């Protein structure tokens, strides 16, 4: 699965961005899509995941109510709508594909469960 993330940029605190993840080479509805981010000097952290048919979603507690994951399988695309952005949301954001969304107690989403990754898109939130 080849994935390409886009939509990052510079935004002021309180603003919004919509990230997109376009898949090529496969029919996306076979895969769950997860969104992760990695800030400088920090470990990659899982944000949200959506099942192949879009019927199940998961979001980490720290983004619930601000970030919304969705997908449009007809367009082979997944999205992450990010509202009320904060400076601490500054990071490189990645989309990734897995067969299923798997949630681990105390961890949430694990990077190791996702086999295909997009190249990342930078999100910078100014205060």
């Amino acid at each position: 699965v080849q994935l390409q993330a886009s939509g990052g940029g510079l935004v002021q605190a309180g603003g919004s961005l919509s990230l997109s993840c376009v898949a090529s080479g496969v029919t996306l509805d076979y895969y769950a899509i997860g969104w992760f981010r990695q800030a400088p000097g920090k470990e990659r952290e899982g944000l949200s995941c959506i099942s192949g048919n879009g019927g199940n979603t998961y979001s980490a507690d720290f983004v619930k109510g601000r970030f919304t994951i969705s997908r449009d399988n007809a367009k082979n695309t997944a999205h992450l709508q990010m509202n009320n952005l904060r400076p601490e949301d500054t990071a490189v954001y990645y989309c990734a594909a897995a067969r299923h969304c798997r949630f681990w107690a105390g961890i949430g989403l694990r990077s190791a469960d996702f086999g295909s990754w997009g190249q990342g898109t930078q999100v910078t939130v100014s205060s």
Side-chain angles (χ1 to χ4, degrees):
V1 181
Q2 292 185 325
L3 303 172
Q4 183 167 357
S6 62
L10 174 63
V11 64
Q12 289 187 332
S16 298
L17 283 173
S18 180
L19 305 184
S20 296
C21 177
V22 179
S24 60
V26 294
T27 301
L28 192 59
D29 57 4
Y30 186 76
Y31 296 94
I33 296 296
W35 284 96
F36 292 76
R37 70 185 181 189
Q38 188 165 18
K42 295 187 177 181
E43 293 187 355
R44 189 170 296 185
E45 58 183 358
L47 306 176
S48 295
C49 190
I50 186 167
S51 61
N53 64 7
N56 293 294
T57 61
Y58 162 85
S59 291
D61 287 343
F62 57 87
V63 299
K64 282 181 180 177
R66 298 194 300 128
F67 292 7
T68 303
I69 192 170
S70 62
R71 66 190 299 155
D72 183 345
N73 286 341
K75 296 182 179 179
N76 251 19
T77 302
H79 302 280
L80 185 68
Q81 176 66 39
M82 305 187 295
N83 299 326
N84 192 21
L85 284 162
R86 306 165 180 167
E88 54 265 39
D89 294 319
T90 295
V92 177
Y93 284 69
Y94 300 88
C95 60
R99 186 63 183 93
H100 301 286
C101 293
R102 298 183 67 183
F103 322 122
W104 298 83
I107 299 175
L109 298 174
R110 285 195 326 176
S111 298
D113 292 332
F114 291 78
S116 299
W117 291 80
Q119 84 287 2
T121 185
Q122 176 71 45
V123 171
T124 302
V125 184
S126 62
S127 57

